[in-house]
Amino acid sequence: MLKNHNVVILGIGCTLLADQGFGVGVVQALDDAYEFSSSVQIVDGGLIGVALTGIIADADHLIVVDVIRNKGAVGDFYRFSGAQILERLTARNSVPQVEFLEALAHCQALDDPPEAILLGVEPEDTDTLACELTPALSGKMSAMMDRVLEELDRVGVRYWKKRKQHACV
């Protein structure tokens, strides 16, 4: 088991632009469905940007969830780590990704960056003003949650499903 290591699960994106809200939706769904050891922090990064620097700097392990345009088919999954994140996201990306990169760069300048993993999915629509994901990406939520949990397993973090509360009538 991981001891005295802080893990941050960070969802970024804009929930007002269709599939751009995917990362935020995944971390919210994880928070609703699972409980995590005290070493895990679930963060809805939304459009926070550079203000994430402190949260990222305190992490030993950072798992970021977002949409990534990578010229693949809609719904394709991607996993990038370390320098691959900077290389991949500097190409052509959204404002939230650019601001996340700036926060990550600030942490690297502090000389103690976290081990960072970026889990992404190829979006269908990131431009339409809509508070809902496209059906294609909505159907990928559970699979992405599983990928995040696999990353937690890799670093030895405990988690468990929340018990459902039954309403009394």
Side-chain angles (χ1 to χ4, degrees):
M1 170 184 275
L2 187 68
K3 294 185 180 179
N4 299 322
H5 281 65
N6 294 319
V7 177
V8 172
I9 303 170
L10 172 65
I12 58 175
C14 178
T15 57
L16 300 176
L17 293 173
D19 290 342
Q20 267 198 30
F22 183 81
V24 170
V26 168
V27 297
Q28 289 173 346
L30 282 166
D31 195 37
D32 289 345
Y34 291 90
E35 296 205 29
F36 301 91
S37 66
S38 61
S39 65
V40 176
Q41 185 178 2
I42 305 287
V43 179
D44 172 347
L47 299 171
I48 296 173
V50 177
L52 292 169
T53 302
I55 293 168
I56 293 171
D58 286 341
D60 296 304
H61 299 275
L62 175 66
I63 303 167
V64 181
V65 182
D66 196 9
V67 292
I68 299 174
R69 291 218 179 266
N70 201 38
K71 298 182 182 177
V74 170
D76 282 354
F77 289 105
Y78 307 107
R79 182 187 187 277
F80 300 104
S81 61
Q84 292 176 316
I85 295 171
L86 297 174
E87 292 168 10
R88 179 60 214 121
L89 292 186
T90 52
R92 55 196 168 285
N93 294 285
S94 64
V95 171
Q97 288 177 346
V98 170
E99 291 181 350
F100 161 69
L101 284 174
E102 193 171 327
L104 191 58
H106 285 151
C107 292
Q108 289 179 335
L110 297 173
D111 206 29
D112 191 20
E115 176 193 335
I117 302 296
L118 172 61
L119 299 175
V121 65
E122 188 81 38
E124 180 175 347
D125 178 1
T126 57
D127 299 319
T128 300
L129 185 61
C131 295
E132 297 174 352
L133 299 173
T134 59
L137 255 58
S138 182
K140 298 293 183 174
M141 292 281 291
S142 179
M144 181 59 83
M145 289 171 60
D146 290 343
R147 283 171 168 71
V148 172
L149 296 175
E150 288 170 7
E151 294 296 331
L152 294 178
D153 290 340
R154 185 181 60 79
V155 295
V157 171
R158 290 188 52 218
Y159 58 88
W160 52 96
K161 274 210 169 263
K162 288 183 177 178
R163 293 183 183 183
K164 293 186 180 187
Q165 299 287 334
H166 296 286
C168 297
V169 187

